[in-house]
PDB file of all heavy atoms in Angstrom:
ATOM      1  N   GLY A 886      -1.000   0.306 -10.947  1.00 98.00           N
ATOM      2  CA  GLY A 886      -2.443   0.160 -10.852  1.00 98.00           C
ATOM      3  C   GLY A 886      -2.955   0.857  -9.612  1.00 98.00           C
ATOM      4  O   GLY A 886      -2.440   0.632  -8.505  1.00 98.00           O
ATOM      5  N   VAL A 887      -3.954   1.723  -9.781  1.00 98.00           N
ATOM      6  CA  VAL A 887      -4.517   2.504  -8.672  1.00 98.00           C
ATOM      7  C   VAL A 887      -5.904   1.970  -8.350  1.00 98.00           C
ATOM      8  O   VAL A 887      -6.742   1.841  -9.243  1.00 98.00           O
ATOM      9  CB  VAL A 887      -4.579   4.002  -9.032  1.00 98.00           C
ATOM     10  CG1 VAL A 887      -5.132   4.808  -7.862  1.00 98.00           C
ATOM     11  CG2 VAL A 887      -3.200   4.510  -9.439  1.00 98.00           C
ATOM     12  N   CYS A 888      -6.148   1.669  -7.080  1.00 97.00           N
ATOM     13  CA  CYS A 888      -7.404   1.056  -6.666  1.00 97.00           C
ATOM     14  C   CYS A 888      -8.270   2.032  -5.867  1.00 97.00           C
ATOM     15  O   CYS A 888      -7.920   3.202  -5.688  1.00 97.00           O
ATOM     16  CB  CYS A 888      -7.116  -0.211  -5.853  1.00 97.00           C
ATOM     17  SG  CYS A 888      -6.079  -1.398  -6.759  1.00 97.00           S
ATOM     18  N   ALA A 889      -9.394   1.543  -5.397  1.00 97.00           N
ATOM     19  CA  ALA A 889     -10.396   2.402  -4.760  1.00 97.00           C
ATOM     20  C   ALA A 889      -9.957   2.874  -3.377  1.00 97.00           C
ATOM     21  O   ALA A 889      -9.197   2.203  -2.678  1.00 97.00           O
ATOM     22  CB  ALA A 889     -11.717   1.647  -4.656  1.00 97.00           C
ATOM     23  N   VAL A 890     -10.477   4.032  -2.996  1.00 96.00           N
ATOM     24  CA  VAL A 890     -10.300   4.543  -1.637  1.00 96.00           C
ATOM     25  C   VAL A 890     -11.403   3.949  -0.767  1.00 96.00           C
ATOM     26  O   VAL A 890     -12.586   4.025  -1.109  1.00 96.00           O
ATOM     27  CB  VAL A 890     -10.359   6.083  -1.598  1.00 96.00           C
ATOM     28  CG1 VAL A 890     -10.283   6.587  -0.163  1.00 96.00           C
ATOM     29  CG2 VAL A 890      -9.232   6.682  -2.443  1.00 96.00           C
ATOM     30  N   GLU A 891     -11.007   3.353   0.367  1.00 96.00           N
ATOM     31  CA  GLU A 891     -11.972   2.690   1.240  1.00 96.00           C
ATOM     32  C   GLU A 891     -11.766   3.134   2.683  1.00 96.00           C
ATOM     33  O   GLU A 891     -10.661   3.540   3.079  1.00 96.00           O
ATOM     34  CB  GLU A 891     -11.802   1.164   1.163  1.00 96.00           C
ATOM     35  CG  GLU A 891     -12.001   0.583  -0.222  1.00 96.00           C
ATOM     36  CD  GLU A 891     -11.732  -0.905  -0.252  1.00 96.00           C
ATOM     37  OE1 GLU A 891     -10.555  -1.290  -0.016  1.00 96.00           O
ATOM     38  OE2 GLU A 891     -12.675  -1.684  -0.475  1.00 96.00           O
ATOM     39  N   ASP A 892     -12.837   3.042   3.450  1.00 96.00           N
ATOM     40  CA  ASP A 892     -12.737   3.316   4.882  1.00 96.00           C
ATOM     41  C   ASP A 892     -12.247   2.075   5.608  1.00 96.00           C
ATOM     42  O   ASP A 892     -12.620   0.943   5.265  1.00 96.00           O
ATOM     43  CB  ASP A 892     -14.101   3.730   5.442  1.00 96.00           C
ATOM     44  CG  ASP A 892     -14.552   5.088   4.904  1.00 96.00           C
ATOM     45  OD1 ASP A 892     -13.679   5.880   4.490  1.00 96.00           O
ATOM     46  OD2 ASP A 892     -15.772   5.346   4.890  1.00 96.00           O
ATOM     47  N   GLU A 893     -11.416   2.286   6.618  1.00 95.00           N
ATOM     48  CA  GLU A 893     -10.873   1.167   7.385  1.00 95.00           C
ATOM     49  C   GLU A 893     -10.643   1.609   8.826  1.00 95.00           C
ATOM     50  O   GLU A 893     -10.162   2.720   9.074  1.00 95.00           O
ATOM     51  CB  GLU A 893      -9.553   0.701   6.759  1.00 95.00           C
ATOM     52  CG  GLU A 893      -8.974  -0.547   7.377  1.00 95.00           C
ATOM     53  CD  GLU A 893      -7.754  -1.039   6.628  1.00 95.00           C
ATOM     54  OE1 GLU A 893      -7.930  -1.666   5.560  1.00 95.00           O
ATOM     55  OE2 GLU A 893      -6.621  -0.777   7.111  1.00 95.00           O
ATOM     56  N   LEU A 894     -10.995   0.752   9.759  1.00 94.00           N
ATOM     57  CA  LEU A 894     -10.769   1.050  11.172  1.00 94.00           C
ATOM     58  C   LEU A 894      -9.335   0.675  11.526  1.00 94.00           C
ATOM     59  O   LEU A 894      -8.864  -0.422  11.200  1.00 94.00           O
ATOM     60  CB  LEU A 894     -11.749   0.277  12.044  1.00 94.00           C
ATOM     61  CG  LEU A 894     -13.230   0.649  11.866  1.00 94.00           C
ATOM     62  CD1 LEU A 894     -14.109  -0.209  12.779  1.00 94.00           C
ATOM     63  CD2 LEU A 894     -13.466   2.130  12.145  1.00 94.00           C
ATOM     64  N   VAL A 895      -8.643   1.605  12.192  1.00 91.00           N
ATOM     65  CA  VAL A 895      -7.237   1.416  12.534  1.00 91.00           C
ATOM     66  C   VAL A 895      -7.056   1.587  14.038  1.00 91.00           C
ATOM     67  O   VAL A 895      -7.593   2.528  14.634  1.00 91.00           O
ATOM     68  CB  VAL A 895      -6.346   2.420  11.769  1.00 91.00           C
ATOM     69  CG1 VAL A 895      -4.883   2.265  12.187  1.00 91.00           C
ATOM     70  CG2 VAL A 895      -6.510   2.232  10.269  1.00 91.00           C
ATOM     71  N   MET A 896      -6.304   0.670  14.644  1.00 92.00           N
ATOM     72  CA  MET A 896      -5.998   0.752  16.074  1.00 92.00           C
ATOM     73  C   MET A 896      -4.567   1.235  16.241  1.00 92.00           C
ATOM     74  O   MET A 896      -3.633   0.683  15.651  1.00 92.00           O
ATOM     75  CB  MET A 896      -6.166  -0.617  16.739  1.00 92.00           C
ATOM     76  CG  MET A 896      -5.851  -0.605  18.237  1.00 92.00           C
ATOM     77  SD  MET A 896      -5.997  -2.245  18.998  1.00 92.00           S
ATOM     78  CE  MET A 896      -7.758  -2.536  18.842  1.00 92.00           C
ATOM     79  N   ASP A 897      -4.377   2.289  17.054  1.00 89.00           N
ATOM     80  CA  ASP A 897      -3.024   2.797  17.274  1.00 89.00           C
ATOM     81  C   ASP A 897      -2.332   2.027  18.391  1.00 89.00           C
ATOM     82  O   ASP A 897      -2.900   1.061  18.947  1.00 89.00           O
ATOM     83  CB  ASP A 897      -3.055   4.303  17.578  1.00 89.00           C
ATOM     84  CG  ASP A 897      -3.831   4.643  18.852  1.00 89.00           C
ATOM     85  OD1 ASP A 897      -4.006   3.752  19.716  1.00 89.00           O
ATOM     86  OD2 ASP A 897      -4.256   5.809  18.983  1.00 89.00           O
ATOM     87  N   ASP A 898      -1.130   2.443  18.713  1.00 90.00           N
ATOM     88  CA  ASP A 898      -0.327   1.717  19.713  1.00 90.00           C
ATOM     89  C   ASP A 898      -0.957   1.732  21.096  1.00 90.00           C
ATOM     90  O   ASP A 898      -0.658   0.876  21.936  1.00 90.00           O
ATOM     91  CB  ASP A 898       1.081   2.313  19.785  1.00 90.00           C
ATOM     92  CG  ASP A 898       1.860   2.115  18.496  1.00 90.00           C
ATOM     93  OD1 ASP A 898       1.483   1.195  17.745  1.00 90.00           O
ATOM     94  OD2 ASP A 898       2.810   2.885  18.241  1.00 90.00           O
ATOM     95  N   GLU A 899      -1.812   2.688  21.346  1.00 91.00           N
ATOM     96  CA  GLU A 899      -2.449   2.799  22.665  1.00 91.00           C
ATOM     97  C   GLU A 899      -3.828   2.146  22.689  1.00 91.00           C
ATOM     98  O   GLU A 899      -4.545   2.246  23.692  1.00 91.00           O
ATOM     99  CB  GLU A 899      -2.557   4.271  23.062  1.00 91.00           C
ATOM    100  CG  GLU A 899      -1.197   4.956  23.187  1.00 91.00           C
ATOM    101  CD  GLU A 899      -1.325   6.423  23.531  1.00 91.00           C
ATOM    102  OE1 GLU A 899      -2.483   6.910  23.630  1.00 91.00           O
ATOM    103  OE2 GLU A 899      -0.289   7.094  23.709  1.00 91.00           O
ATOM    104  N   GLY A 900      -4.187   1.500  21.631  1.00 91.00           N
ATOM    105  CA  GLY A 900      -5.465   0.797  21.603  1.00 91.00           C
ATOM    106  C   GLY A 900      -6.640   1.639  21.166  1.00 91.00           C
ATOM    107  O   GLY A 900      -7.784   1.161  21.197  1.00 91.00           O
ATOM    108  N   ASN A 901      -6.394   2.858  20.730  1.00 93.00           N
ATOM    109  CA  ASN A 901      -7.480   3.713  20.253  1.00 93.00           C
ATOM    110  C   ASN A 901      -7.832   3.356  18.808  1.00 93.00           C
ATOM    111  O   ASN A 901      -6.945   3.157  17.975  1.00 93.00           O
ATOM    112  CB  ASN A 901      -7.072   5.183  20.331  1.00 93.00           C
ATOM    113  CG  ASN A 901      -6.766   5.614  21.748  1.00 93.00           C
ATOM    114  OD1 ASN A 901      -7.524   5.314  22.675  1.00 93.00           O
ATOM    115  ND2 ASN A 901      -5.632   6.302  21.934  1.00 93.00           N
ATOM    116  N   ILE A 902      -9.122   3.301  18.533  1.00 95.00           N
ATOM    117  CA  ILE A 902      -9.600   2.932  17.194  1.00 95.00           C
ATOM    118  C   ILE A 902     -10.154   4.171  16.495  1.00 95.00           C
ATOM    119  O   ILE A 902     -10.938   4.927  17.076  1.00 95.00           O
ATOM    120  CB  ILE A 902     -10.687   1.842  17.278  1.00 95.00           C
ATOM    121  CG1 ILE A 902     -10.094   0.558  17.884  1.00 95.00           C
ATOM    122  CG2 ILE A 902     -11.257   1.548  15.883  1.00 95.00           C
ATOM    123  CD1 ILE A 902     -11.108  -0.538  18.082  1.00 95.00           C
ATOM    124  N   SER A 903      -9.735   4.366  15.266  1.00 94.00           N
ATOM    125  CA  SER A 903     -10.219   5.497  14.475  1.00 94.00           C
ATOM    126  C   SER A 903     -10.403   5.066  13.022  1.00 94.00           C
ATOM    127  O   SER A 903      -9.835   4.071  12.567  1.00 94.00           O
ATOM    128  CB  SER A 903      -9.236   6.676  14.547  1.00 94.00           C
ATOM    129  OG  SER A 903      -7.962   6.277  14.076  1.00 94.00           O
ATOM    130  N   LYS A 904     -11.217   5.840  12.311  1.00 95.00           N
ATOM    131  CA  LYS A 904     -11.482   5.525  10.907  1.00 95.00           C
ATOM    132  C   LYS A 904     -10.459   6.223  10.018  1.00 95.00           C
ATOM    133  O   LYS A 904     -10.232   7.430  10.138  1.00 95.00           O
ATOM    134  CB  LYS A 904     -12.897   5.964  10.512  1.00 95.00           C
ATOM    135  CG  LYS A 904     -13.279   5.555   9.090  1.00 95.00           C
ATOM    136  CD  LYS A 904     -14.696   5.968   8.750  1.00 95.00           C
ATOM    137  CE  LYS A 904     -14.784   7.459   8.481  1.00 95.00           C
ATOM    138  NZ  LYS A 904     -16.102   7.864   7.942  1.00 95.00           N
ATOM    139  N   HIS A 905      -9.860   5.458   9.128  1.00 96.00           N
ATOM    140  CA  HIS A 905      -8.906   5.992   8.159  1.00 96.00           C
ATOM    141  C   HIS A 905      -9.384   5.662   6.749  1.00 96.00           C
ATOM    142  O   HIS A 905     -10.217   4.774   6.551  1.00 96.00           O
ATOM    143  CB  HIS A 905      -7.508   5.399   8.392  1.00 96.00           C
ATOM    144  CG  HIS A 905      -6.812   5.948   9.590  1.00 96.00           C
ATOM    145  ND1 HIS A 905      -5.582   6.574   9.542  1.00 96.00           N
ATOM    146  CD2 HIS A 905      -7.176   5.984  10.903  1.00 96.00           C
ATOM    147  CE1 HIS A 905      -5.216   6.952  10.751  1.00 96.00           C
ATOM    148  NE2 HIS A 905      -6.169   6.592  11.604  1.00 96.00           N
ATOM    149  N   GLN A 906      -8.845   6.383   5.805  1.00 97.00           N
ATOM    150  CA  GLN A 906      -9.110   6.091   4.394  1.00 97.00           C
ATOM    151  C   GLN A 906      -7.853   5.482   3.779  1.00 97.00           C
ATOM    152  O   GLN A 906      -6.751   6.046   3.918  1.00 97.00           O
ATOM    153  CB  GLN A 906      -9.522   7.359   3.636  1.00 97.00           C
ATOM    154  CG  GLN A 906     -10.891   7.885   4.058  1.00 97.00           C
ATOM    155  CD  GLN A 906     -11.251   9.178   3.356  1.00 97.00           C
ATOM    156  OE1 GLN A 906     -10.656  10.216   3.612  1.00 97.00           O
ATOM    157  NE2 GLN A 906     -12.232   9.107   2.452  1.00 97.00           N
ATOM    158  N   VAL A 907      -8.020   4.335   3.140  1.00 97.00           N
ATOM    159  CA  VAL A 907      -6.873   3.618   2.586  1.00 97.00           C
ATOM    160  C   VAL A 907      -7.099   3.327   1.104  1.00 97.00           C
ATOM    161  O   VAL A 907      -8.240   3.280   0.620  1.00 97.00           O
ATOM    162  CB  VAL A 907      -6.607   2.301   3.343  1.00 97.00           C
ATOM    163  CG1 VAL A 907      -6.296   2.573   4.807  1.00 97.00           C
ATOM    164  CG2 VAL A 907      -7.783   1.351   3.220  1.00 97.00           C
ATOM    165  N   MET A 908      -5.996   3.138   0.418  1.00 97.00           N
ATOM    166  CA  MET A 908      -6.035   2.825  -1.004  1.00 97.00           C
ATOM    167  C   MET A 908      -4.898   1.856  -1.304  1.00 97.00           C
ATOM    168  O   MET A 908      -3.806   1.981  -0.742  1.00 97.00           O
ATOM    169  CB  MET A 908      -5.852   4.094  -1.843  1.00 97.00           C
ATOM    170  CG  MET A 908      -5.794   3.881  -3.344  1.00 97.00           C
ATOM    171  SD  MET A 908      -5.596   5.462  -4.213  1.00 97.00           S
ATOM    172  CE  MET A 908      -3.972   5.962  -3.617  1.00 97.00           C
ATOM    173  N   ARG A 909      -5.155   0.895  -2.163  1.00 98.00           N
ATOM    174  CA  ARG A 909      -4.116  -0.064  -2.538  1.00 98.00           C
ATOM    175  C   ARG A 909      -3.525   0.288  -3.897  1.00 98.00           C
ATOM    176  O   ARG A 909      -4.231   0.735  -4.800  1.00 98.00           O
ATOM    177  CB  ARG A 909      -4.684  -1.485  -2.548  1.00 98.00           C
ATOM    178  CG  ARG A 909      -4.946  -2.012  -1.153  1.00 98.00           C
ATOM    179  CD  ARG A 909      -5.714  -3.327  -1.137  1.00 98.00           C
ATOM    180  NE  ARG A 909      -5.826  -3.874   0.214  1.00 98.00           N
ATOM    181  CZ  ARG A 909      -6.691  -3.461   1.128  1.00 98.00           C
ATOM    182  NH1 ARG A 909      -7.531  -2.481   0.841  1.00 98.00           N
ATOM    183  NH2 ARG A 909      -6.712  -4.002   2.332  1.00 98.00           N
ATOM    184  N   LEU A 910      -2.225   0.080  -4.004  1.00 98.00           N
ATOM    185  CA  LEU A 910      -1.505   0.271  -5.248  1.00 98.00           C
ATOM    186  C   LEU A 910      -0.985  -1.078  -5.719  1.00 98.00           C
ATOM    187  O   LEU A 910      -0.481  -1.875  -4.917  1.00 98.00           O
ATOM    188  CB  LEU A 910      -0.328   1.237  -5.068  1.00 98.00           C
ATOM    189  CG  LEU A 910      -0.662   2.657  -4.601  1.00 98.00           C
ATOM    190  CD1 LEU A 910       0.627   3.452  -4.407  1.00 98.00           C
ATOM    191  CD2 LEU A 910      -1.576   3.364  -5.602  1.00 98.00           C
ATOM    192  N   SER A 911      -1.120  -1.348  -7.009  1.00 98.00           N
ATOM    193  CA  SER A 911      -0.619  -2.590  -7.601  1.00 98.00           C
ATOM    194  C   SER A 911       0.451  -2.210  -8.627  1.00 98.00           C
ATOM    195  O   SER A 911       0.142  -1.603  -9.659  1.00 98.00           O
ATOM    196  CB  SER A 911      -1.756  -3.364  -8.277  1.00 98.00           C
ATOM    197  OG  SER A 911      -2.767  -3.687  -7.338  1.00 98.00           O
ATOM    198  N   PHE A 912       1.681  -2.594  -8.341  1.00 98.00           N
ATOM    199  CA  PHE A 912       2.810  -2.206  -9.178  1.00 98.00           C
ATOM    200  C   PHE A 912       3.345  -3.436  -9.909  1.00 98.00           C
ATOM    201  O   PHE A 912       3.898  -4.352  -9.301  1.00 98.00           O
ATOM    202  CB  PHE A 912       3.913  -1.589  -8.306  1.00 98.00           C
ATOM    203  CG  PHE A 912       5.122  -1.117  -9.075  1.00 98.00           C
ATOM    204  CD1 PHE A 912       5.025  -0.098 -10.006  1.00 98.00           C
ATOM    205  CD2 PHE A 912       6.370  -1.689  -8.856  1.00 98.00           C
ATOM    206  CE1 PHE A 912       6.134   0.340 -10.703  1.00 98.00           C
ATOM    207  CE2 PHE A 912       7.484  -1.260  -9.545  1.00 98.00           C
ATOM    208  CZ  PHE A 912       7.378  -0.240 -10.468  1.00 98.00           C
ATOM    209  N   THR A 913       3.127  -3.481 -11.235  1.00 98.00           N
ATOM    210  CA  THR A 913       3.604  -4.596 -12.051  1.00 98.00           C
ATOM    211  C   THR A 913       4.838  -4.155 -12.825  1.00 98.00           C
ATOM    212  O   THR A 913       4.847  -3.073 -13.416  1.00 98.00           O
ATOM    213  CB  THR A 913       2.522  -5.068 -13.035  1.00 98.00           C
ATOM    214  OG1 THR A 913       1.387  -5.533 -12.304  1.00 98.00           O
ATOM    215  CG2 THR A 913       3.038  -6.219 -13.891  1.00 98.00           C
ATOM    216  N   TYR A 914       5.873  -5.000 -12.845  1.00 98.00           N
ATOM    217  CA  TYR A 914       7.114  -4.630 -13.516  1.00 98.00           C
ATOM    218  C   TYR A 914       7.717  -5.817 -14.253  1.00 98.00           C
ATOM    219  O   TYR A 914       7.401  -6.984 -13.990  1.00 98.00           O
ATOM    220  CB  TYR A 914       8.124  -4.062 -12.510  1.00 98.00           C
ATOM    221  CG  TYR A 914       8.435  -4.969 -11.346  1.00 98.00           C
ATOM    222  CD1 TYR A 914       9.522  -5.863 -11.391  1.00 98.00           C
ATOM    223  CD2 TYR A 914       7.670  -4.941 -10.187  1.00 98.00           C
ATOM    224  CE1 TYR A 914       9.811  -6.698 -10.320  1.00 98.00           C
ATOM    225  CE2 TYR A 914       7.950  -5.769  -9.120  1.00 98.00           C
ATOM    226  CZ  TYR A 914       9.025  -6.644  -9.186  1.00 98.00           C
ATOM    227  OH  TYR A 914       9.303  -7.474  -8.124  1.00 98.00           O
ATOM    228  N   ASP A 915       8.582  -5.501 -15.199  1.00 98.00           N
ATOM    229  CA  ASP A 915       9.295  -6.487 -16.004  1.00 98.00           C
ATOM    230  C   ASP A 915      10.503  -6.957 -15.201  1.00 98.00           C
ATOM    231  O   ASP A 915      11.459  -6.194 -15.000  1.00 98.00           O
ATOM    232  CB  ASP A 915       9.727  -5.840 -17.328  1.00 98.00           C
ATOM    233  CG  ASP A 915      10.393  -6.818 -18.280  1.00 98.00           C
ATOM    234  OD1 ASP A 915      10.790  -7.913 -17.837  1.00 98.00           O
ATOM    235  OD2 ASP A 915      10.541  -6.468 -19.473  1.00 98.00           O
ATOM    236  N   HIS A 916      10.473  -8.215 -14.761  1.00 98.00           N
ATOM    237  CA  HIS A 916      11.523  -8.709 -13.872  1.00 98.00           C
ATOM    238  C   HIS A 916      12.859  -8.896 -14.594  1.00 98.00           C
ATOM    239  O   HIS A 916      13.892  -9.116 -13.955  1.00 98.00           O
ATOM    240  CB  HIS A 916      11.078 -10.038 -13.237  1.00 98.00           C
ATOM    241  CG  HIS A 916      11.666 -10.274 -11.880  1.00 98.00           C
ATOM    242  ND1 HIS A 916      12.732  -9.560 -11.391  1.00 98.00           N
ATOM    243  CD2 HIS A 916      11.336 -11.164 -10.901  1.00 98.00           C
ATOM    244  CE1 HIS A 916      13.034  -9.988 -10.183  1.00 98.00           C
ATOM    245  NE2 HIS A 916      12.198 -10.959  -9.863  1.00 98.00           N
ATOM    246  N   ARG A 917      12.871  -8.786 -15.914  1.00 97.00           N
ATOM    247  CA  ARG A 917      14.147  -8.824 -16.634  1.00 97.00           C
ATOM    248  C   ARG A 917      14.944  -7.555 -16.383  1.00 97.00           C
ATOM    249  O   ARG A 917      16.180  -7.555 -16.478  1.00 97.00           O
ATOM    250  CB  ARG A 917      13.907  -8.980 -18.139  1.00 97.00           C
ATOM    251  CG  ARG A 917      13.219 -10.269 -18.558  1.00 97.00           C
ATOM    252  CD  ARG A 917      12.898 -10.248 -20.047  1.00 97.00           C
ATOM    253  NE  ARG A 917      12.015  -9.138 -20.399  1.00 97.00           N
ATOM    254  CZ  ARG A 917      11.663  -8.842 -21.654  1.00 97.00           C
ATOM    255  NH1 ARG A 917      12.132  -9.567 -22.668  1.00 97.00           N
ATOM    256  NH2 ARG A 917      10.854  -7.817 -21.898  1.00 97.00           N
ATOM    257  N   LEU A 918      14.227  -6.459 -16.088  1.00 98.00           N
ATOM    258  CA  LEU A 918      14.868  -5.153 -15.964  1.00 98.00           C
ATOM    259  C   LEU A 918      14.850  -4.598 -14.545  1.00 98.00           C
ATOM    260  O   LEU A 918      15.711  -3.794 -14.175  1.00 98.00           O
ATOM    261  CB  LEU A 918      14.172  -4.153 -16.897  1.00 98.00           C
ATOM    262  CG  LEU A 918      14.261  -4.459 -18.401  1.00 98.00           C
ATOM    263  CD1 LEU A 918      13.346  -3.526 -19.169  1.00 98.00           C
ATOM    264  CD2 LEU A 918      15.690  -4.307 -18.873  1.00 98.00           C
ATOM    265  N   ILE A 919      13.856  -4.984 -13.777  1.00 98.00           N
ATOM    266  CA  ILE A 919      13.681  -4.418 -12.437  1.00 98.00           C
ATOM    267  C   ILE A 919      13.637  -5.561 -11.433  1.00 98.00           C
ATOM    268  O   ILE A 919      12.846  -6.500 -11.574  1.00 98.00           O
ATOM    269  CB  ILE A 919      12.394  -3.584 -12.354  1.00 98.00           C
ATOM    270  CG1 ILE A 919      12.426  -2.450 -13.390  1.00 98.00           C
ATOM    271  CG2 ILE A 919      12.194  -3.027 -10.957  1.00 98.00           C
ATOM    272  CD1 ILE A 919      11.113  -1.678 -13.494  1.00 98.00           C
ATOM    273  N   ASP A 920      14.474  -5.464 -10.419  1.00 98.00           N
ATOM    274  CA  ASP A 920      14.493  -6.472  -9.355  1.00 98.00           C
ATOM    275  C   ASP A 920      13.457  -6.133  -8.294  1.00 98.00           C
ATOM    276  O   ASP A 920      13.000  -4.986  -8.177  1.00 98.00           O
ATOM    277  CB  ASP A 920      15.878  -6.556  -8.726  1.00 98.00           C
ATOM    278  CG  ASP A 920      16.932  -7.072  -9.702  1.00 98.00           C
ATOM    279  OD1 ASP A 920      16.558  -7.890 -10.565  1.00 98.00           O
ATOM    280  OD2 ASP A 920      18.089  -6.634  -9.598  1.00 98.00           O
ATOM    281  N   GLY A 921      13.131  -7.132  -7.493  1.00 97.00           N
ATOM    282  CA  GLY A 921      12.097  -6.951  -6.478  1.00 97.00           C
ATOM    283  C   GLY A 921      12.418  -5.862  -5.479  1.00 97.00           C
ATOM    284  O   GLY A 921      11.544  -5.070  -5.108  1.00 97.00           O
ATOM    285  N   ALA A 922      13.670  -5.787  -5.037  1.00 98.00           N
ATOM    286  CA  ALA A 922      14.045  -4.772  -4.051  1.00 98.00           C
ATOM    287  C   ALA A 922      13.957  -3.370  -4.645  1.00 98.00           C
ATOM    288  O   ALA A 922      13.515  -2.416  -3.981  1.00 98.00           O
ATOM    289  CB  ALA A 922      15.461  -5.041  -3.538  1.00 98.00           C
ATOM    290  N   VAL A 923      14.362  -3.237  -5.912  1.00 98.00           N
ATOM    291  CA  VAL A 923      14.274  -1.936  -6.587  1.00 98.00           C
ATOM    292  C   VAL A 923      12.818  -1.501  -6.696  1.00 98.00           C
ATOM    293  O   VAL A 923      12.472  -0.348  -6.434  1.00 98.00           O
ATOM    294  CB  VAL A 923      14.927  -2.019  -7.979  1.00 98.00           C
ATOM    295  CG1 VAL A 923      14.677  -0.730  -8.769  1.00 98.00           C
ATOM    296  CG2 VAL A 923      16.417  -2.272  -7.850  1.00 98.00           C
ATOM    297  N   ALA A 924      11.952  -2.443  -7.085  1.00 98.00           N
ATOM    298  CA  ALA A 924      10.525  -2.144  -7.193  1.00 98.00           C
ATOM    299  C   ALA A 924       9.953  -1.749  -5.834  1.00 98.00           C
ATOM    300  O   ALA A 924       9.163  -0.802  -5.728  1.00 98.00           O
ATOM    301  CB  ALA A 924       9.781  -3.346  -7.758  1.00 98.00           C
ATOM    302  N   ALA A 925      10.334  -2.469  -4.786  1.00 98.00           N
ATOM    303  CA  ALA A 925       9.804  -2.189  -3.454  1.00 98.00           C
ATOM    304  C   ALA A 925      10.207  -0.797  -2.976  1.00 98.00           C
ATOM    305  O   ALA A 925       9.404  -0.082  -2.361  1.00 98.00           O
ATOM    306  CB  ALA A 925      10.291  -3.258  -2.475  1.00 98.00           C
ATOM    307  N   LYS A 926      11.439  -0.395  -3.259  1.00 98.00           N
ATOM    308  CA  LYS A 926      11.887   0.941  -2.849  1.00 98.00           C
ATOM    309  C   LYS A 926      11.077   2.029  -3.551  1.00 98.00           C
ATOM    310  O   LYS A 926      10.726   3.046  -2.945  1.00 98.00           O
ATOM    311  CB  LYS A 926      13.373   1.102  -3.164  1.00 98.00           C
ATOM    312  CG  LYS A 926      14.286   0.288  -2.262  1.00 98.00           C
ATOM    313  CD  LYS A 926      15.746   0.450  -2.673  1.00 98.00           C
ATOM    314  CE  LYS A 926      16.661  -0.392  -1.788  1.00 98.00           C
ATOM    315  NZ  LYS A 926      18.081  -0.291  -2.211  1.00 98.00           N
ATOM    316  N   PHE A 927      10.774   1.794  -4.825  1.00 98.00           N
ATOM    317  CA  PHE A 927       9.960   2.768  -5.552  1.00 98.00           C
ATOM    318  C   PHE A 927       8.560   2.855  -4.962  1.00 98.00           C
ATOM    319  O   PHE A 927       8.031   3.951  -4.729  1.00 98.00           O
ATOM    320  CB  PHE A 927       9.880   2.388  -7.030  1.00 98.00           C
ATOM    321  CG  PHE A 927       8.887   3.201  -7.811  1.00 98.00           C
ATOM    322  CD1 PHE A 927       9.183   4.490  -8.225  1.00 98.00           C
ATOM    323  CD2 PHE A 927       7.628   2.684  -8.120  1.00 98.00           C
ATOM    324  CE1 PHE A 927       8.254   5.244  -8.930  1.00 98.00           C
ATOM    325  CE2 PHE A 927       6.701   3.432  -8.825  1.00 98.00           C
ATOM    326  CZ  PHE A 927       7.009   4.716  -9.231  1.00 98.00           C
TER     327      PHE A 927
END
């Protein structure tokens, strides 16, 4: 599942804040065939 691209403020390790574009992915799988770790690696 592919979701919307959104703007998000991100702070780096030095405390600097910048605007990034982010998108969420929703991955649904059949747990009879695919284990959680296998899905996560993909």
Side-chain angles (χ1 to χ4, degrees):
V887 181
C888 304
V890 176
E891 300 176 295
D892 292 337
E893 186 174 282
L894 295 179
V895 177
M896 180 182 294
D897 62 21
D898 295 338
E899 298 178 358
N901 299 314
I902 297 177
S903 59
K904 185 178 75 171
H905 286 238
Q906 291 177 291
V907 299
M908 177 179 64
R909 288 171 174 79
L910 300 177
S911 300
F912 181 63
T913 298
Y914 56 93
D915 184 345
H916 209 345
R917 297 174 300 175
L918 297 171
I919 302 173
D920 294 328
V923 172
K926 289 178 181 178
F927 171 78

